[in-house]
Amino acid sequence: MTYTKGMLRDDALAGKVIVITGGGTGLGRAMGEYFLELGAKLAICGRREEVLAKAAEEMMAAKGGEVFYKTCDVRKYDEVEAFRDAVLEKYSQVDVLLNNAAGNFISPTERLSPGAFDAVIDIVLKGTKNCTLAFGKDWISKEQKDKVVLSITTTYANTGSAFVVPSAMAKAGVSAMTRSLAVEWARYGIRFNAIAPGPFPTEGAWSRLMPGDIPDMLKVENQIPLKRAGNLQELANLAAYLVSDFAPYMNGEIVTIDGGEWLLGAGELNFLQAVPDEMWDWIGEATRKGK
Ligand code: HXC
Ligand code: NAP
């Protein structure tokens, strides 16, 4: 299988400046490393300076290229504007905004304080709004075209999910923003897409969603038709394509990459997977009798 390898040709993102919120860890870092390999320059932000500094250094050592970093809390519009201005001072342009930063944890909703609810909604929904508005306004005011906003949502933005209600509500808002602005800002030459990943093990997600013995309750082989979790490179391949000039007609799309996980939970008769082969002979006979 080649899904653990890069997909696009080496210069596919040459000359592009890509901003990744939350780019110092997890999926943001993995996508960033592949973008670097493809010739892009990066600007990453997050709240923890030491995490960003270490990530930038390691990413450049591993992949070459340039990684600019600055602390920025995406919940605060003035910090987002300061980050944008610093990126522009460094690179003079921004081509892609990747809204990747998020907050999340599992909890019965009745146990959440209003502040706990806000902690997640403010990072995911308000943070994505802040970044999109700050970078988008700049592109529009300068009449710059061929820009891309890619946001990372989740499969449960559509279906909803118990125990992550603030995240589900916020990610649903990001999906709505993606589809709305794909139409509204097309006239300014800005494309909007999103990726809805299923489970891709990262320290950030697993420490908050799968603590302790909970991974033992999640049987990947039962929950995901393809019977494995996602690999970071296959997500990076999809993201690189969507932000590249190979995807200029992709606009307003939310691409699910989850091994079929959400559909397994949705299909009315999917439970019949549990039926053994030998029983299908009997079922064949039994159902023919009904004609
Ligand atoms: C209940 C909690 C809580 C928890 C925090 N709070 N954690 N309540 N259960 N586990 C409450 C606090 O008591 C506080 O309530 C309020 O939330 C704010 O908490 P702070 O710690 O002050 O917030 P903050 O420092 O802003 O941290 C935000 C955070 C944290 C979301 C709580 O986890 C974080 O920084 N996360 C960033 C990274 C992350 O979450 N990555 C995972 C993304 S994975 P009061 O009442 O005092 O205000 C993902 C994957 C989805 O999205 C799909 C997977 C398949
Ligand atoms: P992660 O490593 O915890 O990534 C979250 C990043 O967001 C961190 O770098 C964090 O840095 C940053 N961040 C959080 N709050 C911020 C704020 N207020 N301002 C700026 N940056 C902030 O988790 P991940 O798994 O890679 O998740 C990345 C994205 O993928 C998220 O959008 C998540 O919802 C999505 N996703 C993940 C999975 C999965 O299985 N891993 C599945 C579906 C969707 P600081 O803490 O330093 O600020």
Side-chain angles (χ1 to χ4, degrees), residues 57-273:
E57 194 187 313
E58 290 174 358
M59 290 163 87
M60 286 189 282
K63 306 289 176 186
E66 278 186 88
V67 182
F68 172 79
Y69 72 87
K70 182 171 166 57
T71 54
C72 166
D73 185 334
V74 294
R75 292 171 292 192
K76 299 177 180 154
Y77 194 75
D78 57 339
E79 288 192 23
V80 172
E81 282 192 315
F83 173 53
R84 178 200 64 195
D85 293 346
V87 178
L88 287 171
E89 197 179 319
K90 165 79 181 163
Y91 294 126
S92 307
Q93 74 187 68
V94 170
D95 300 290
V96 176
L97 167 66
L98 175 43
N99 287 311
N100 166 80
N104 201 1
F105 50 80
I106 48 171
S107 175
T109 306
E110 70 278 12
R111 288 178 177 236
L112 293 173
S113 68
F117 233 102
D118 289 348
V120 173
I121 288 182
D122 285 357
I123 300 172
V124 176
L125 185 57
K126 196 169 159 188
T128 301
K129 174 272 288 180
N130 282 344
C131 294
T132 305
L133 204 55
F135 285 90
K137 275 174 177 277
D138 186 65
W139 289 328
I140 292 166
S141 69
K142 293 173 179 163
E143 296 183 18
Q144 296 177 341
K145 295 196 183 295
D146 299 324
K147 305 299 180 188
V148 179
V149 177
L150 178 65
S151 300
I152 308 299
T153 65
T154 59
T155 52
Y156 59 65
N158 271 346
T159 60
S161 176
F163 306 111
V164 281
V165 170
S167 173
M169 290 170 64
K171 294 286 192 182
V174 174
S175 297
M177 182 201 79
T178 299
R179 292 187 171 122
S180 304
L181 288 179
V183 174
E184 190 183 328
W185 283 4
R187 63 189 156 157
Y188 299 122
I190 308 172
R191 291 192 291 119
F192 280 79
N193 291 295
I195 297 176
F200 284 72
T202 63
E203 206 276 320
W206 257 232
S207 62
R208 294 174 176 90
L209 297 161
M210 307 274 167
D213 294 335
I214 289 187
D216 299 337
M217 296 157 76
L218 167 82
K219 298 276 181 263
V220 164
E221 60 278 17
N222 294 341
Q223 190 157 330
I224 303 172
L226 292 180
K227 302 194 187 309
R228 66 173 174 85
N231 175 276
L232 296 182
Q233 184 62 49
E234 57 195 333
L235 179 78
N237 281 338
L238 175 59
Y241 164 69
L242 287 172
V243 303
S244 77
D245 294 340
F246 295 111
Y249 210 48
M250 291 288 287
N251 189 29
E253 194 56 38
I254 298 171
V255 184
T256 297
I257 178 166
D258 74 342
E261 182 190 35
W262 87 265
L263 284 167
L264 176 59
E268 179 78 31
L269 292 163
N270 287 351
F271 67 89
L272 292 174
Q273 286 195 113

Side-chain angles (χ1 to χ4, degrees), residues 8-32:
L8 295 182
R9 67 184 194 214
D10 287 352
D11 63 349
L13 298 177
K16 292 201 185 294
V17 175
I18 302 183
V19 168
I20 308 177
T21 65
T25 65
L27 304 187
R29 176 167 168 172
M31 291 184 279

Side-chain angles (χ1 to χ4, degrees), residues 8-52:
L8 295 182
R9 67 184 194 214
D10 287 352
D11 63 349
L13 298 177
K16 292 201 185 294
V17 175
I18 302 183
V19 168
I20 308 177
T21 65
T25 65
L27 304 187
R29 176 167 168 172
M31 291 184 279
E33 287 190 353
Y34 187 45
F35 297 165
L36 278 177
E37 237 178 270
L38 297 174
K41 294 174 186 163
L42 298 188
I44 61 174
C45 76
R47 293 164 298 175
R48 293 167 298 166
E49 173 126 35
E50 66 288 1
V51 170
L52 294 170

